[in-house]
């Protein structure tokens, strides 16, 4: 958890209009790229399209800052992110900036899937 406060990362909490916590997520800017981080939706809110919308909002924010491609590492949510337009990419095809992140270096196991997609709105 200490890595959440380090660096240039941007994290956001999301609520429903009624004030119920709906999710959390963020990204780390890496030049033209971003590394999507820590996307989570409470179990009681899952299956309602909130995660999909949360990812869309994160990508929109990144696009507004001028970023062009999103990357992420996951051990359990590949299917979710593939539905959001991400595609699996071999690690050796990732930019050096992505591979140099703590997530790629230490925090995510080597078995984690690397996914990527262009940021478009």
């Amino acid at each position: 958890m200490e890595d959440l406060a380090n660096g240039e990362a941007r994290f956001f909490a999301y609520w429903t209009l009624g004030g119920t916590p709906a999710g959390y997520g963020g990204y780390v800017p890496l030049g033209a790229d971003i590394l999507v981080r820590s996307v989570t939706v409470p179990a009681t809110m899952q299956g309602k399209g909130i995660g999909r919308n949360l990812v869309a909002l994160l990508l929109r924010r990144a696009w507004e800052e001028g970023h062009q491609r999103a990357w992420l590492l996951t051990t359990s949510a590949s299917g979710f992110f593939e539905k959001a337009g991400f595609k699996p990419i071999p690690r050796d095809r990732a930019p050096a900036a992505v591979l140099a992140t703590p997530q790629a270096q230490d925090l995510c196991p080597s078995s984690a899937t690397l996914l990527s997609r262009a940021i478009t709105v």
Side-chain angles (χ1 to χ4, degrees):
M1 289 295 277
E2 72 183 49
D3 70 300
L4 294 177
N6 292 342
E8 300 283 323
R10 292 161 174 79
F11 291 100
F12 307 93
Y14 297 92
W15 292 270
T16 65
L17 293 176
T20 303
Y24 183 80
Y27 59 89
V28 177
L30 301 167
D33 300 319
I34 64 166
L35 181 68
V36 175
R37 295 282 321 280
S38 306
V39 173
T40 185
V41 173
T44 58
M45 302 298 284
Q46 292 176 6
K48 299 177 181 181
I50 291 171
R52 178 185 67 240
N53 290 328
L54 190 151
V55 170
L57 287 169
L58 288 175
L59 296 181
R60 174 66 185 222
R61 287 176 186 258
W63 180 82
E64 289 172 350
E65 291 181 0
H67 303 288
Q68 299 170 1
R69 179 158 288 280
W71 299 84
L72 64 89
L73 289 156
T74 183
T75 57
S76 61
S78 293
F80 168 80
F81 286 106
E82 287 182 47
K83 288 178 185 174
F86 285 82
K87 304 285 184 220
I89 303 287
R91 281 196 189 211
D92 63 357
R93 293 194 39 219
V98 171
L99 296 176
T101 63
Q103 292 70 34
Q105 293 277 315
D106 301 317
L107 298 177
C108 295
S110 60
S111 61
T113 303
L114 177 69
L115 297 109
S116 182
R117 68 162 278 182
I119 300 174
T120 59
V121 292

